[in-house]
Amino acid sequence: MADTATEQSTGEILIVTGMSGAGRSTVANALEDMGWYVVDNLPPQMLKPLLDVSGLAAGALPRVAAVVDVRGGMLFTELPAVTRALRDAREQLRVVFLDASDDVLVRRYEAVRRPHPLQDDGTIVDGIRRERERLAVMRESADIVIDTSDFNVHQLATHVVDLFSERGSARHTLTVLSFGFKYGLPADADMVADMRFLPNPYWQDELRALTGEDEAVRDFVLAQSGAEDFLDTYTRAVQDVLEGYQRENKRHSVLAVGCTGGKHRSVAMAAELGRRLHDVPGVAVRVSHRDLGRE
């Protein structure tokens, strides 16, 4: 039984199953955030049609995850047989089983004040015992078993990213966005940097009609006193923030870089910050200019 994921490939199907309360929803959300097509509470009998659809649309559905569990009632009993049949026919099928200790599962159910799906007229412990009996075969045959007893939701999501991200894929996307303060702060900004401490190229006759994308303006802005020191210091600070975002499984962030009109200083400095942050591990950086050309 494996405890690590193998390299991803086109047309992969992942079956996510396991104990109720062990984190299936968290895993499903993390996979969806990574671009997987996720189907929740799928009857086992629908796995073969799902495989057929993914095979026909491999380009559109390269990675599909199906959450299959005891919520399916009597239909769920067919999962071991269906899985065995699909393994014989398809190499890219894998099963992930989520587990946790009984004590942890009881605490989680008590925290959300919901009954266990197999509890009936008994206790939560009765429901957990019945579920373990039904899932014993699937746990034994799973490719990956994840014990979530010591994970919070963020740690579990991060673990899923570590297991199932494609090699070299980004765990976080950073947008470096230039803007003009006179048009208002970007509503979705996570971090804001103010470039109005630098001299404004607008007051240079030969630069006024140009923008921060032009070499002359970029050279002027970067040559100003304090510009290089700011870039060095701020880049290091943002790198620490981005590493923290990845640990907390924050998938997207916006670094807003502003000046008065969003034409000269912010454009040049946003581009330079984007260049310097380009090599942060696990982060994909894109640079955008919200107000360029607005004046």
Side-chain angles (χ1 to χ4, degrees):
M1 179 174 57
D3 59 2
T4 57
T6 56
E7 188 173 348
Q8 314 298 306
S9 60
T10 300
E12 181 177 7
I13 301 294
L14 192 68
I15 296 176
V16 179
T17 189
M19 297 296 294
S20 300
R24 293 187 311 258
S25 296
T26 298
V27 171
N29 291 337
L31 290 170
E32 194 167 55
D33 287 345
M34 288 188 289
W36 289 66
Y37 183 83
V38 179
V39 183
D40 189 23
N41 198 15
L42 187 74
Q45 294 80 356
M46 296 299 296
L47 283 169
K48 180 59 168 66
L50 180 62
L51 288 171
D52 293 339
V53 170
S54 66
L56 291 172
L61 300 175
R63 297 187 295 170
V64 177
V67 181
V68 186
D69 52 65
V70 296
R71 290 174 295 171
M74 293 303 297
L75 295 174
F76 180 76
T77 60
E78 298 296 320
L79 181 58
V82 171
T83 302
R84 284 194 299 270
L86 293 176
R87 285 188 190 279
D88 293 338
R90 188 182 181 90
E91 295 181 357
Q92 294 302 317
L93 174 69
R94 291 190 296 163
V95 176
V96 176
F97 190 97
L98 300 170
D99 204 352
S101 68
D102 288 2
D103 290 344
V104 169
L105 294 175
V106 169
R107 287 200 301 270
R108 289 174 181 174
Y109 266 100
E110 288 178 341
V112 298
R113 299 182 180 180
R114 295 187 62 192
H116 189 282
L118 299 182
Q119 184 173 336
D120 297 329
D121 295 330
T123 65
I124 294 175
V125 174
D126 293 329
I128 292 172
R129 176 181 52 79
R130 295 183 185 118
E131 188 173 30
R132 285 204 185 281
E133 292 172 354
R134 295 191 185 184
L135 292 174
V137 174
M138 290 305 301
R139 191 186 195 285
E140 188 63 29
S141 62
D143 299 285
I144 302 168
V145 176
I146 303 175
D147 187 334
T148 69
S149 300
D150 297 325
F151 287 159
N152 60 36
V153 292
H154 302 296
Q155 292 167 333
L156 176 56
T158 298
H159 187 62
V160 171
V161 171
D162 290 338
L163 284 174
F164 297 107
S165 285
E166 291 184 277
R167 181 175 297 178
S169 65
R171 296 175 56 181
H172 185 90
T173 300
L174 170 69
T175 298
V176 183
L177 179 69
S178 72
F179 74 98
F181 276 97
K182 71 179 182 180
Y183 302 116
L185 284 170
D188 56 349
D190 297 284
M191 299 169 278
V192 178
D194 186 355
M195 298 300 104
R196 292 175 296 184
F197 73 93
L198 297 171
N200 193 344
Y202 177 86
W203 302 112
Q204 305 296 317
D205 291 340
E206 69 277 15
L207 301 178
R208 183 172 303 162
L210 303 178
T211 75
E213 292 186 316
D214 292 303
E215 184 177 358
V217 173
R218 182 176 66 251
D219 291 347
F220 175 87
V221 171
L222 297 181
Q224 299 306 308
S225 176
E228 191 69 25
D229 289 340
F230 169 84
L231 287 166
D232 290 342
T233 303
Y234 198 68
T235 297
R236 288 194 298 270
V238 173
Q239 287 175 336
D240 291 338
V241 172
L242 294 175
E243 291 173 4
Y245 281 164
Q246 292 183 71
R247 288 192 299 270
E248 292 301 310
N249 202 45
K250 181 176 172 64
R251 301 284 294 169
H252 310 280
S253 64
V254 175
L255 166 57
V257 182
C259 64
T260 303
K263 178 180 179 180
H264 296 109
R265 293 165 291 180
S266 63
V267 173
M269 293 293 275
E272 182 62 18
L273 281 169
R275 186 186 67 80
R276 295 187 179 210
L277 293 168
H278 181 75
D279 293 328
V280 177
V283 177
V285 180
R286 60 183 293 268
V287 178
S288 182
H289 305 298
R290 189 191 72 176
D291 298 324
L292 188 60
R294 187 168 178 173
E295 77 286 348

